[in-house]
Amino acid sequence: MKGGLVMRDLHFKPIVPLLLLLAFLGFWLLWKNPSHQELHATTRLAMGTLVSVSTWGATEAEDENGVNWVFSRIKEVESWASKQIPSSLVYKINHSPKGTLLEVPEELVTVVHTGLEIRNLSGGAFDPGLGYLVDLWGFGNGVAEEGKIPETQKIAAWLEERNKHHDFGIQWVKTANGGMAIQWGGFAYELDLGGIAKGYAMDLAMESLKLSGIPNALIVAGGDMIIAGSKGGKPWRIGIQHPRDHNKVMAFAEITGDMAMSTSGDYERFFMANGERQHHILDPKTGKPSRSGLISVSIQTSTSIKADALSTAVFVLGMKEGKALIEKLDGVEGMLVHENGERWKSPGFKGQWLEGS
Ligand code: FAD
Ligand code: MG
């Protein structure tokens, strides 16, 4: 027995340190070799905002491939949904003579239809047809350098034209080959997909990452973000900006699994005039920046297209009606901040207020 033990000891002794050395070497190589780095982060400019993509657990080559896909999908959406690019379909629709029929791809139909669905749900607070108004206020391309309030008559003319139609004012027509065409409805119905198309692009971006074999990622574009999987078994940690102090985080969330979150605020694009903040989220009922009292709205749900549009809708609806809409919708959670200091979050909202924020 004793001899056997000695024999075993002699047999194992040189192997244990060797295994330890190999394990150490393996870890060291993984750590040193950037192609095995666990977290990759890339930021590029798209859709007038910074888009950052973080992936976890992919090799450098996998990450590069996935990120390229992400930005090509986003650019694709931008190429037809942008109101700013003259070759885009939305630009063509908005700049054609009234009544012009233009054949449109299924993607545009999906985005406009989802926008109209949210328009119905929100009693018109969200509206994908505010192009003329958004430009009138100077928010079509960021913020006008010396922003000024538009002439009252121009806003009144828009409201008058708007009130002539009970429906949306844009017609859909089926084409002979089974496709879809859109008939432009006039200046009161210019498309502006700024409150929804970024969300749609984020859904496609995350789908591309997953298809390219990356199941763990976080994509952030301005106030919109989409999450998948985890960060090496740990949740992704995200911060929500304080609406009155852009250096401060107001709340944070730890999220694992698939989820989209979108934040709409009056601090993103605004100018000061008449002692008031003239911001980019417009109330279709007044033709002016929303004065619902809400200054920040975050929505969490399963798709980014819905989170994006709903955060804008709830912002315009205000605290009471906004809360009611969130509570009515399955799988939709929200976090609302009023200018009077009142704060509310639905019980299922993933995130906590930060003390002293
Ligand atoms: P959200 O609250 O999600 O949306 C607010 C935006 O929605 C407003 O800016 C307006 O466009 C629209 N909106 C306002 N009121 C309403 C309402 N009641 N209902 C529905 N919609 C409303 N910006 C640039 O400066 N340069 C660009 O080249 C540029 N290209 C873009 C291309 C695309 C495809 C998209 C989608 C946006 C682009 N933008 C561009 C816009 C820019 O990124 C906006 O800041 C962004 O769309 C606003 O998003 P948000 O999440 O901050 O606000
Ligand atoms: Mg949004």
Side-chain angles (χ1 to χ4, degrees), residues 46-50 74-85 90 115 122 124-131 133-135 139-143 192-201 221-224 262-269 279-285 288-290 297 307-313 315-316:
M47 298 181 293
T49 194
L50 287 175
I74 291 176
K75 285 281 168 196
E76 222 177 275
V77 174
E78 194 174 0
S79 72
W80 59 260
S82 169
K83 207 157 63 75
Q84 289 87 352
I85 304 173
V90 164
S122 65
F126 181 87
D127 195 319
L130 302 184
L133 261 193
V134 172
D135 286 346
F139 296 118
N141 225 335
V143 183
D192 181 307
L193 305 178
I196 189 165
K198 191 144 58 77
Y200 178 68
D224 298 307
S262 175
T263 302
S264 285
D266 66 354
Y267 51 87
E268 289 284 351
R269 291 177 173 209
H279 61 85
H280 70 140
I281 303 176
L282 305 175
D283 184 342
K285 289 205 168 92
K288 296 175 183 167
S290 163
V297 171
D308 193 6
L310 280 172
S311 66
T312 313
F315 189 99
V316 175

Side-chain angles (χ1 to χ4, degrees), residues 116-156:
L116 293 178
E117 215 179 284
I118 308 284
R119 183 176 183 259
N120 284 341
L121 277 173
S122 65
F126 181 87
D127 195 319
L130 302 184
Y132 175 84
L133 261 193
V134 172
D135 286 346
L136 196 61
W137 281 90
F139 296 118
N141 225 335
V143 183
E145 242 165 60
E146 279 177 47
K148 58 179 193 323
I149 297 176
E151 288 166 37
T152 318
Q153 294 135 294
K154 285 195 174 160
I155 298 176

